[in-house]
Amino acid sequence: MLSNLILAVVTYLSPVHFDVVLAGNFGEPRPNHFHGGLDIKTQKVEGKAVYSIGDGYVCRVTKNVGGMGNALYVRHPEGYTSVYAHLQRFAPAIEAVVKKWQYQHQQTDLDLTLEATDCPVTAGQLIALSGDTGASMGPHLHLEIHQTDTWNMMDPLEFIPNLLVDSMAPKAHAIMAYPMEGEGMFCGSDSQQRFDFDNGSINDTLTAWGKVGFGIYADDYMQESDNRFGIRYTAFYVDGEEVFTSNVDNISKDCQKMVNVWGDYDYYAENQQWFMRSYVLPTNKLPFIKTGPGKGIVDFSKQKPYQLTYVLCDFFGNKSQYSFVVHGLPQEFKHEEPTDSIRFIHEKENDIGTEGMSVVVPKGGMMHDTWVKASDKARPSKYSKGYMLAQKSIPLFEKALLRLKVDADVEDRSKLCVVSMRRNKKDELAPDAESRMFIPATYKDGWLECNIDDIGNIYHVDYDDTPPKVMPLNQKNWESEATLLVDVKDDQTGLANFQAFIDGQFVLFDHVKKSTRMICCLKDTPVERKGEERKLLLKALDNVGNETILDTTIHY
């Protein structure tokens, strides 16, 4: 069982020169994706040296792209690419290449592709300092290893021997029973039910009849870390026969969203706990999951006790086992379908609409069959009603086409946009303001059209003719500190670009992490200090073309 867990074809070095403690491991389930690498703690500080794990060259550099923050990609001759994310800054030679590009293109954010001769590196070479940029919850280094040709995600522990020590076994917290619609019952109900482990056992008397799937909520643990981690290996047995196994490694980029199908996404969205199914739904194509003919579903067809067993194992071979008994007991199948809803089916194109809204989900777009109901009772805007199809998030495999009718005359149709919000748990009709998200849309014959990836959110039309805000900060200290600090933000459609010029010459501002501030160290710019008044021009552009131009002066 474990022979394929500890087999490294290629060996690389550690990216850091201190004892490694993890904050996150490879393959942890997250909403809409698997965690693609290792989160290495950096002793609660930034600025730790980061080294290339092998020979190769820097093939890509990104700043403020997605949630990676400052990130480096190193391509290795063995057919793999390593990724280092949330960095504070790059090594000087790499930083020089980045800054040259930024000045040539007059742009702060970048996604830069490099050739093999631009930035070659050797194993163990300093390439960056660790940081806390992007969607990071604290200082750490995020390390990924991908197959270069397929971009499949690989577990870095496979490639870096003895990176860390772990002797703690995974622990299960609870199981979930999932009776199949119209084909199964569990403890007298056709609804899913949770049962917690108490000192490794389930004390409830469990009964079932017909077809029932199961899921398990479990975490792995490591000494020196108070974090919880994803389970590497899971096996599920019925009366000693293996009916399901999962070995989380070599994850295709096309399979990322299938984590929502393997895991119970609905339960996670409400409770932040992942129950990973030990049976396979029709849309789950994850290649590292293996089942028998029954797809992991247990058929309780006999009046007898069934022995069900989970075996959980981590990368290092630490193993735990949990068993419980379910008694086969004849029960009448129950199943009621909603009478006021429409069933969206994965294997066909689905559509629904009202006078002011329509949604079309392409064939294969649904993650699983789902009941939906169009409602315009969500909080409206001045420009349209607020629409929702469900009381919960329903992410999609493929984007759906959403059309909203514009209910108000506007001066400039290019300023129209669609706004998405999540449902507020305290009031299902009131959106969560913190989840407000702008979606680009196209105006056509009185309607706005856009693509959405969750049909369970709340949507309405909005109008943005307000330019971004640009506010100088600590302006009286600009001259003495030779540093310019400004707050740049747009509360509606978001900031698209920011540029600054001194006497017509572009100067680079960088993001101040976890804020809307931008900073420019004048000594790092090509502008020479003359000790005289200079013209400073600041430009900020939002995502629908509203622009703010601040024309001021500095003494430099």
Side-chain angles (χ1 to χ4, degrees), residues 203-233:
N203 298 322
D204 302 80
T205 299
L206 307 179
T207 63
W209 196 246
K211 296 180 179 180
V212 180
F214 291 87
I216 188 164
Y217 165 39
D219 293 302
D220 192 19
Y221 298 85
M222 298 180 186
Q223 57 262 44
E224 310 300 331
S225 177
D226 55 2
N227 295 81
R228 297 184 177 192
F229 305 95
I231 305 298
R232 174 60 185 263
Y233 182 93

PDB file of all heavy atoms in Angstrom, residues 203-233:
ATOM      1  N   ASN A 203     -20.576   5.349  18.743  1.00  0.00           N
ATOM      2  CA  ASN A 203     -21.399   4.691  19.756  1.00  0.00           C
ATOM      3  C   ASN A 203     -22.858   4.539  19.336  1.00  0.00           C
ATOM      4  O   ASN A 203     -23.613   3.820  19.986  1.00  0.00           O
ATOM      5  CB  ASN A 203     -21.319   5.474  21.072  1.00  0.00           C
ATOM      6  CG  ASN A 203     -19.899   5.514  21.623  1.00  0.00           C
ATOM      7  OD1 ASN A 203     -19.168   4.523  21.524  1.00  0.00           O
ATOM      8  ND2 ASN A 203     -19.510   6.649  22.192  1.00  0.00           N
ATOM      9  N   ASP A 204     -23.273   5.227  18.254  1.00  0.00           N
ATOM     10  CA  ASP A 204     -24.653   5.115  17.797  1.00  0.00           C
ATOM     11  C   ASP A 204     -24.911   3.735  17.185  1.00  0.00           C
ATOM     12  O   ASP A 204     -24.014   3.094  16.622  1.00  0.00           O
ATOM     13  CB  ASP A 204     -24.939   6.183  16.745  1.00  0.00           C
ATOM     14  CG  ASP A 204     -24.697   7.585  17.253  1.00  0.00           C
ATOM     15  OD1 ASP A 204     -23.508   7.987  17.282  1.00  0.00           O
ATOM     16  OD2 ASP A 204     -25.654   8.264  17.603  1.00  0.00           O
ATOM     17  N   THR A 205     -26.171   3.292  17.288  1.00  0.00           N
ATOM     18  CA  THR A 205     -26.591   2.086  16.571  1.00  0.00           C
ATOM     19  C   THR A 205     -26.967   2.491  15.150  1.00  0.00           C
ATOM     20  O   THR A 205     -27.886   3.291  14.946  1.00  0.00           O
ATOM     21  CB  THR A 205     -27.788   1.421  17.263  1.00  0.00           C
ATOM     22  OG1 THR A 205     -27.403   1.037  18.595  1.00  0.00           O
ATOM     23  CG2 THR A 205     -28.231   0.188  16.484  1.00  0.00           C
ATOM     24  N   LEU A 206     -26.263   1.962  14.178  1.00  0.00           N
ATOM     25  CA  LEU A 206     -26.423   2.369  12.785  1.00  0.00           C
ATOM     26  C   LEU A 206     -27.163   1.293  12.003  1.00  0.00           C
ATOM     27  O   LEU A 206     -26.809   0.108  12.071  1.00  0.00           O
ATOM     28  CB  LEU A 206     -25.057   2.628  12.144  1.00  0.00           C
ATOM     29  CG  LEU A 206     -24.139   3.611  12.893  1.00  0.00           C
ATOM     30  CD1 LEU A 206     -22.813   3.748  12.164  1.00  0.00           C
ATOM     31  CD2 LEU A 206     -24.820   4.965  13.045  1.00  0.00           C
ATOM     32  N   THR A 207     -28.184   1.708  11.252  1.00  0.00           N
ATOM     33  CA  THR A 207     -28.930   0.786  10.403  1.00  0.00           C
ATOM     34  C   THR A 207     -29.023   1.351   8.992  1.00  0.00           C
ATOM     35  O   THR A 207     -29.013   2.571   8.799  1.00  0.00           O
ATOM     36  CB  THR A 207     -30.345   0.536  10.947  1.00  0.00           C
ATOM     37  OG1 THR A 207     -31.082   1.769  10.927  1.00  0.00           O
ATOM     38  CG2 THR A 207     -30.292  -0.012  12.369  1.00  0.00           C
ATOM     39  N   ALA A 208     -29.111   0.486   8.017  1.00  0.00           N
ATOM     40  CA  ALA A 208     -29.187   0.934   6.627  1.00  0.00           C
ATOM     41  C   ALA A 208     -29.878  -0.114   5.784  1.00  0.00           C
ATOM     42  O   ALA A 208     -29.916  -1.306   6.123  1.00  0.00           O
ATOM     43  CB  ALA A 208     -27.786   1.207   6.084  1.00  0.00           C
ATOM     44  N   TRP A 209     -30.419   0.372   4.653  1.00  0.00           N
ATOM     45  CA  TRP A 209     -31.011  -0.529   3.667  1.00  0.00           C
ATOM     46  C   TRP A 209     -30.858   0.110   2.282  1.00  0.00           C
ATOM     47  O   TRP A 209     -31.059   1.313   2.120  1.00  0.00           O
ATOM     48  CB  TRP A 209     -32.468  -0.793   3.971  1.00  0.00           C
ATOM     49  CG  TRP A 209     -33.025  -1.987   3.227  1.00  0.00           C
ATOM     50  CD1 TRP A 209     -33.981  -1.993   2.260  1.00  0.00           C
ATOM     51  CD2 TRP A 209     -32.652  -3.359   3.424  1.00  0.00           C
ATOM     52  NE1 TRP A 209     -34.228  -3.271   1.820  1.00  0.00           N
ATOM     53  CE2 TRP A 209     -33.419  -4.142   2.518  1.00  0.00           C
ATOM     54  CE3 TRP A 209     -31.735  -4.003   4.256  1.00  0.00           C
ATOM     55  CZ2 TRP A 209     -33.301  -5.528   2.443  1.00  0.00           C
ATOM     56  CZ3 TRP A 209     -31.617  -5.383   4.175  1.00  0.00           C
ATOM     57  CH2 TRP A 209     -32.399  -6.131   3.278  1.00  0.00           C
ATOM     58  N   GLY A 210     -30.454  -0.716   1.328  1.00  0.00           N
ATOM     59  CA  GLY A 210     -30.261  -0.207  -0.015  1.00  0.00           C
ATOM     60  C   GLY A 210     -28.881   0.418  -0.181  1.00  0.00           C
ATOM     61  O   GLY A 210     -27.929   0.089   0.537  1.00  0.00           O
ATOM     62  N   LYS A 211     -28.780   1.359  -1.116  1.00  0.00           N
ATOM     63  CA  LYS A 211     -27.476   1.909  -1.503  1.00  0.00           C
ATOM     64  C   LYS A 211     -27.164   3.184  -0.711  1.00  0.00           C
ATOM     65  O   LYS A 211     -27.938   4.141  -0.719  1.00  0.00           O
ATOM     66  CB  LYS A 211     -27.461   2.190  -2.993  1.00  0.00           C
ATOM     67  CG  LYS A 211     -27.601   0.921  -3.842  1.00  0.00           C
ATOM     68  CD  LYS A 211     -27.575   1.228  -5.322  1.00  0.00           C
ATOM     69  CE  LYS A 211     -27.682  -0.068  -6.138  1.00  0.00           C
ATOM     70  NZ  LYS A 211     -27.654   0.196  -7.608  1.00  0.00           N
ATOM     71  N   VAL A 212     -25.989   3.162  -0.072  1.00  0.00           N
ATOM     72  CA  VAL A 212     -25.550   4.269   0.768  1.00  0.00           C
ATOM     73  C   VAL A 212     -24.072   4.527   0.509  1.00  0.00           C
ATOM     74  O   VAL A 212     -23.267   3.606   0.470  1.00  0.00           O
ATOM     75  CB  VAL A 212     -25.765   3.976   2.271  1.00  0.00           C
ATOM     76  CG1 VAL A 212     -25.297   5.160   3.123  1.00  0.00           C
ATOM     77  CG2 VAL A 212     -27.228   3.648   2.552  1.00  0.00           C
ATOM     78  N   GLY A 213     -23.726   5.797   0.309  1.00  0.00           N
ATOM     79  CA  GLY A 213     -22.324   6.184   0.233  1.00  0.00           C
ATOM     80  C   GLY A 213     -21.872   6.766   1.554  1.00  0.00           C
ATOM     81  O   GLY A 213     -22.690   7.178   2.389  1.00  0.00           O
ATOM     82  N   PHE A 214     -20.546   6.809   1.754  1.00  0.00           N
ATOM     83  CA  PHE A 214     -20.006   7.349   3.002  1.00  0.00           C
ATOM     84  C   PHE A 214     -18.912   8.368   2.695  1.00  0.00           C
ATOM     85  O   PHE A 214     -18.288   8.350   1.627  1.00  0.00           O
ATOM     86  CB  PHE A 214     -19.438   6.219   3.872  1.00  0.00           C
ATOM     87  CG  PHE A 214     -20.497   5.305   4.431  1.00  0.00           C
ATOM     88  CD1 PHE A 214     -20.938   4.211   3.701  1.00  0.00           C
ATOM     89  CD2 PHE A 214     -21.079   5.560   5.670  1.00  0.00           C
ATOM     90  CE1 PHE A 214     -21.933   3.376   4.194  1.00  0.00           C
ATOM     91  CE2 PHE A 214     -22.071   4.730   6.171  1.00  0.00           C
ATOM     92  CZ  PHE A 214     -22.503   3.644   5.432  1.00  0.00           C
ATOM     93  N   GLY A 215     -18.714   9.255   3.642  1.00  0.00           N
ATOM     94  CA  GLY A 215     -17.620  10.211   3.583  1.00  0.00           C
ATOM     95  C   GLY A 215     -16.970  10.313   4.937  1.00  0.00           C
ATOM     96  O   GLY A 215     -17.589   9.993   5.964  1.00  0.00           O
ATOM     97  N   ILE A 216     -15.721  10.771   4.961  1.00  0.00           N
ATOM     98  CA  ILE A 216     -14.993  10.847   6.221  1.00  0.00           C
ATOM     99  C   ILE A 216     -14.373  12.234   6.376  1.00  0.00           C
ATOM    100  O   ILE A 216     -13.835  12.810   5.428  1.00  0.00           O
ATOM    101  CB  ILE A 216     -13.922   9.752   6.324  1.00  0.00           C
ATOM    102  CG1 ILE A 216     -13.304   9.728   7.724  1.00  0.00           C
ATOM    103  CG2 ILE A 216     -12.864   9.894   5.234  1.00  0.00           C
ATOM    104  CD1 ILE A 216     -12.531   8.458   8.034  1.00  0.00           C
ATOM    105  N   TYR A 217     -14.503  12.769   7.578  1.00  0.00           N
ATOM    106  CA  TYR A 217     -13.871  14.038   7.954  1.00  0.00           C
ATOM    107  C   TYR A 217     -12.657  13.687   8.804  1.00  0.00           C
ATOM    108  O   TYR A 217     -12.785  13.138   9.896  1.00  0.00           O
ATOM    109  CB  TYR A 217     -14.875  14.901   8.703  1.00  0.00           C
ATOM    110  CG  TYR A 217     -14.305  16.073   9.468  1.00  0.00           C
ATOM    111  CD1 TYR A 217     -13.260  16.848   8.962  1.00  0.00           C
ATOM    112  CD2 TYR A 217     -14.846  16.426  10.710  1.00  0.00           C
ATOM    113  CE1 TYR A 217     -12.756  17.923   9.672  1.00  0.00           C
ATOM    114  CE2 TYR A 217     -14.355  17.509  11.426  1.00  0.00           C
ATOM    115  CZ  TYR A 217     -13.300  18.246  10.911  1.00  0.00           C
ATOM    116  OH  TYR A 217     -12.808  19.315  11.621  1.00  0.00           O
ATOM    117  N   ALA A 218     -11.471  13.978   8.288  1.00  0.00           N
ATOM    118  CA  ALA A 218     -10.233  13.587   8.959  1.00  0.00           C
ATOM    119  C   ALA A 218      -9.143  14.604   8.659  1.00  0.00           C
ATOM    120  O   ALA A 218      -9.206  15.333   7.668  1.00  0.00           O
ATOM    121  CB  ALA A 218      -9.797  12.194   8.505  1.00  0.00           C
ATOM    122  N   ASP A 219      -8.134  14.645   9.514  1.00  0.00           N
ATOM    123  CA  ASP A 219      -6.985  15.525   9.334  1.00  0.00           C
ATOM    124  C   ASP A 219      -5.711  14.757   9.628  1.00  0.00           C
ATOM    125  O   ASP A 219      -5.699  13.808  10.437  1.00  0.00           O
ATOM    126  CB  ASP A 219      -7.045  16.729  10.289  1.00  0.00           C
ATOM    127  CG  ASP A 219      -8.196  17.663   9.969  1.00  0.00           C
ATOM    128  OD1 ASP A 219      -8.251  18.164   8.833  1.00  0.00           O
ATOM    129  OD2 ASP A 219      -9.050  17.883  10.852  1.00  0.00           O
ATOM    130  N   ASP A 220      -4.632  15.194   8.995  1.00  0.00           N
ATOM    131  CA  ASP A 220      -3.313  14.697   9.346  1.00  0.00           C
ATOM    132  C   ASP A 220      -2.653  15.719  10.269  1.00  0.00           C
ATOM    133  O   ASP A 220      -3.021  16.901  10.279  1.00  0.00           O
ATOM    134  CB  ASP A 220      -2.473  14.494   8.080  1.00  0.00           C
ATOM    135  CG  ASP A 220      -1.196  13.716   8.363  1.00  0.00           C
ATOM    136  OD1 ASP A 220      -1.135  13.049   9.411  1.00  0.00           O
ATOM    137  OD2 ASP A 220      -0.270  13.777   7.535  1.00  0.00           O
ATOM    138  N   TYR A 221      -1.674  15.250  11.011  1.00  0.00           N
ATOM    139  CA  TYR A 221      -0.979  16.112  11.976  1.00  0.00           C
ATOM    140  C   TYR A 221       0.521  15.878  11.872  1.00  0.00           C
ATOM    141  O   TYR A 221       0.979  14.818  11.425  1.00  0.00           O
ATOM    142  CB  TYR A 221      -1.455  15.817  13.402  1.00  0.00           C
ATOM    143  CG  TYR A 221      -2.928  16.084  13.604  1.00  0.00           C
ATOM    144  CD1 TYR A 221      -3.879  15.111  13.281  1.00  0.00           C
ATOM    145  CD2 TYR A 221      -3.373  17.294  14.101  1.00  0.00           C
ATOM    146  CE1 TYR A 221      -5.237  15.351  13.457  1.00  0.00           C
ATOM    147  CE2 TYR A 221      -4.729  17.546  14.287  1.00  0.00           C
ATOM    148  CZ  TYR A 221      -5.655  16.567  13.960  1.00  0.00           C
ATOM    149  OH  TYR A 221      -6.998  16.811  14.127  1.00  0.00           O
ATOM    150  N   MET A 222       1.304  16.881  12.278  1.00  0.00           N
ATOM    151  CA  MET A 222       2.756  16.763  12.309  1.00  0.00           C
ATOM    152  C   MET A 222       3.272  17.397  13.594  1.00  0.00           C
ATOM    153  O   MET A 222       2.742  18.418  14.042  1.00  0.00           O
ATOM    154  CB  MET A 222       3.393  17.464  11.102  1.00  0.00           C
ATOM    155  CG  MET A 222       3.002  16.885   9.758  1.00  0.00           C
ATOM    156  SD  MET A 222       3.801  17.755   8.381  1.00  0.00           S
ATOM    157  CE  MET A 222       2.985  16.960   6.980  1.00  0.00           C
ATOM    158  N   GLN A 223       4.302  16.803  14.190  1.00  0.00           N
ATOM    159  CA  GLN A 223       4.888  17.405  15.374  1.00  0.00           C
ATOM    160  C   GLN A 223       5.522  18.753  15.022  1.00  0.00           C
ATOM    161  O   GLN A 223       5.878  18.994  13.883  1.00  0.00           O
ATOM    162  CB  GLN A 223       5.930  16.486  16.025  1.00  0.00           C
ATOM    163  CG  GLN A 223       7.066  16.054  15.116  1.00  0.00           C
ATOM    164  CD  GLN A 223       6.807  14.676  14.534  1.00  0.00           C
ATOM    165  OE1 GLN A 223       5.707  14.374  14.087  1.00  0.00           O
ATOM    166  NE2 GLN A 223       7.831  13.841  14.552  1.00  0.00           N
ATOM    167  N   GLU A 224       5.620  19.610  15.990  1.00  0.00           N
ATOM    168  CA  GLU A 224       6.160  20.968  15.841  1.00  0.00           C
ATOM    169  C   GLU A 224       5.194  21.919  15.137  1.00  0.00           C
ATOM    170  O   GLU A 224       5.507  23.081  14.928  1.00  0.00           O
ATOM    171  CB  GLU A 224       7.511  20.968  15.091  1.00  0.00           C
ATOM    172  CG  GLU A 224       8.537  19.987  15.604  1.00  0.00           C
ATOM    173  CD  GLU A 224       8.905  20.221  17.060  1.00  0.00           C
ATOM    174  OE1 GLU A 224       8.832  21.383  17.508  1.00  0.00           O
ATOM    175  OE2 GLU A 224       9.240  19.247  17.750  1.00  0.00           O
ATOM    176  N   SER A 225       4.024  21.428  14.732  1.00  0.00           N
ATOM    177  CA  SER A 225       3.070  22.287  14.033  1.00  0.00           C
ATOM    178  C   SER A 225       1.691  22.118  14.653  1.00  0.00           C
ATOM    179  O   SER A 225       1.271  20.988  14.954  1.00  0.00           O
ATOM    180  CB  SER A 225       3.001  21.942  12.545  1.00  0.00           C
ATOM    181  OG  SER A 225       2.028  22.742  11.887  1.00  0.00           O
ATOM    182  N   ASP A 226       0.995  23.230  14.849  1.00  0.00           N
ATOM    183  CA  ASP A 226      -0.368  23.159  15.372  1.00  0.00           C
ATOM    184  C   ASP A 226      -1.402  23.213  14.251  1.00  0.00           C
ATOM    185  O   ASP A 226      -2.596  23.345  14.503  1.00  0.00           O
ATOM    186  CB  ASP A 226      -0.626  24.283  16.378  1.00  0.00           C
ATOM    187  CG  ASP A 226      -0.347  25.670  15.805  1.00  0.00           C
ATOM    188  OD1 ASP A 226       0.020  25.761  14.613  1.00  0.00           O
ATOM    189  OD2 ASP A 226      -0.482  26.660  16.561  1.00  0.00           O
ATOM    190  N   ASN A 227      -0.960  23.095  13.000  1.00  0.00           N
ATOM    191  CA  ASN A 227      -1.862  23.099  11.855  1.00  0.00           C
ATOM    192  C   ASN A 227      -2.426  21.708  11.611  1.00  0.00           C
ATOM    193  O   ASN A 227      -1.893  20.694  12.071  1.00  0.00           O
ATOM    194  CB  ASN A 227      -1.131  23.582  10.599  1.00  0.00           C
ATOM    195  CG  ASN A 227      -0.685  25.022  10.712  1.00  0.00           C
ATOM    196  OD1 ASN A 227       0.338  25.315  11.318  1.00  0.00           O
ATOM    197  ND2 ASN A 227      -1.455  25.925  10.140  1.00  0.00           N
ATOM    198  N   ARG A 228      -3.518  21.679  10.869  1.00  0.00           N
ATOM    199  CA  ARG A 228      -4.098  20.418  10.400  1.00  0.00           C
ATOM    200  C   ARG A 228      -3.822  20.287   8.913  1.00  0.00           C
ATOM    201  O   ARG A 228      -3.780  21.277   8.184  1.00  0.00           O
ATOM    202  CB  ARG A 228      -5.602  20.386  10.673  1.00  0.00           C
ATOM    203  CG  ARG A 228      -5.973  20.447  12.142  1.00  0.00           C
ATOM    204  CD  ARG A 228      -7.483  20.314  12.331  1.00  0.00           C
ATOM    205  NE  ARG A 228      -7.866  20.296  13.727  1.00  0.00           N
ATOM    206  CZ  ARG A 228      -9.076  19.973  14.167  1.00  0.00           C
ATOM    207  NH1 ARG A 228     -10.026  19.654  13.282  1.00  0.00           N
ATOM    208  NH2 ARG A 228      -9.350  19.971  15.457  1.00  0.00           N
ATOM    209  N   PHE A 229      -3.666  19.054   8.444  1.00  0.00           N
ATOM    210  CA  PHE A 229      -3.247  18.816   7.076  1.00  0.00           C
ATOM    211  C   PHE A 229      -4.191  17.834   6.371  1.00  0.00           C
ATOM    212  O   PHE A 229      -4.956  17.117   7.015  1.00  0.00           O
ATOM    213  CB  PHE A 229      -1.817  18.260   7.060  1.00  0.00           C
ATOM    214  CG  PHE A 229      -0.834  19.140   7.777  1.00  0.00           C
ATOM    215  CD1 PHE A 229      -0.512  18.906   9.106  1.00  0.00           C
ATOM    216  CD2 PHE A 229      -0.256  20.222   7.143  1.00  0.00           C
ATOM    217  CE1 PHE A 229       0.380  19.720   9.787  1.00  0.00           C
ATOM    218  CE2 PHE A 229       0.637  21.051   7.801  1.00  0.00           C
ATOM    219  CZ  PHE A 229       0.953  20.793   9.121  1.00  0.00           C
ATOM    220  N   GLY A 230      -4.106  17.828   5.039  1.00  0.00           N
ATOM    221  CA  GLY A 230      -4.916  16.905   4.254  1.00  0.00           C
ATOM    222  C   GLY A 230      -4.404  15.474   4.341  1.00  0.00           C
ATOM    223  O   GLY A 230      -3.240  15.225   4.650  1.00  0.00           O
ATOM    224  N   ILE A 231      -5.286  14.527   4.055  1.00  0.00           N
ATOM    225  CA  ILE A 231      -4.954  13.099   4.115  1.00  0.00           C
ATOM    226  C   ILE A 231      -4.369  12.651   2.785  1.00  0.00           C
ATOM    227  O   ILE A 231      -4.973  12.849   1.728  1.00  0.00           O
ATOM    228  CB  ILE A 231      -6.202  12.261   4.449  1.00  0.00           C
ATOM    229  CG1 ILE A 231      -6.856  12.760   5.744  1.00  0.00           C
ATOM    230  CG2 ILE A 231      -5.837  10.775   4.544  1.00  0.00           C
ATOM    231  CD1 ILE A 231      -5.992  12.651   6.968  1.00  0.00           C
ATOM    232  N   ARG A 232      -3.204  12.013   2.824  1.00  0.00           N
ATOM    233  CA  ARG A 232      -2.561  11.554   1.589  1.00  0.00           C
ATOM    234  C   ARG A 232      -3.233  10.282   1.042  1.00  0.00           C
ATOM    235  O   ARG A 232      -3.545  10.193  -0.131  1.00  0.00           O
ATOM    236  CB  ARG A 232      -1.072  11.294   1.849  1.00  0.00           C
ATOM    237  CG  ARG A 232      -0.298  10.673   0.683  1.00  0.00           C
ATOM    238  CD  ARG A 232      -0.338  11.568  -0.549  1.00  0.00           C
ATOM    239  NE  ARG A 232       0.296  10.923  -1.686  1.00  0.00           N
ATOM    240  CZ  ARG A 232       1.548  11.131  -2.077  1.00  0.00           C
ATOM    241  NH1 ARG A 232       2.306  11.973  -1.397  1.00  0.00           N
ATOM    242  NH2 ARG A 232       2.048  10.506  -3.110  1.00  0.00           N
ATOM    243  N   TYR A 233      -3.461   9.310   1.907  1.00  0.00           N
ATOM    244  CA  TYR A 233      -3.967   8.014   1.445  1.00  0.00           C
ATOM    245  C   TYR A 233      -5.180   7.600   2.269  1.00  0.00           C
ATOM    246  O   TYR A 233      -5.156   7.641   3.496  1.00  0.00           O
ATOM    247  CB  TYR A 233      -2.864   6.957   1.564  1.00  0.00           C
ATOM    248  CG  TYR A 233      -3.256   5.580   1.057  1.00  0.00           C
ATOM    249  CD1 TYR A 233      -2.990   5.202  -0.256  1.00  0.00           C
ATOM    250  CD2 TYR A 233      -3.894   4.669   1.890  1.00  0.00           C
ATOM    251  CE1 TYR A 233      -3.346   3.937  -0.722  1.00  0.00           C
ATOM    252  CE2 TYR A 233      -4.256   3.406   1.429  1.00  0.00           C
ATOM    253  CZ  TYR A 233      -3.978   3.048   0.129  1.00  0.00           C
ATOM    254  OH  TYR A 233      -4.335   1.807  -0.333  1.00  0.00           O
TER     255      TYR A 233
END
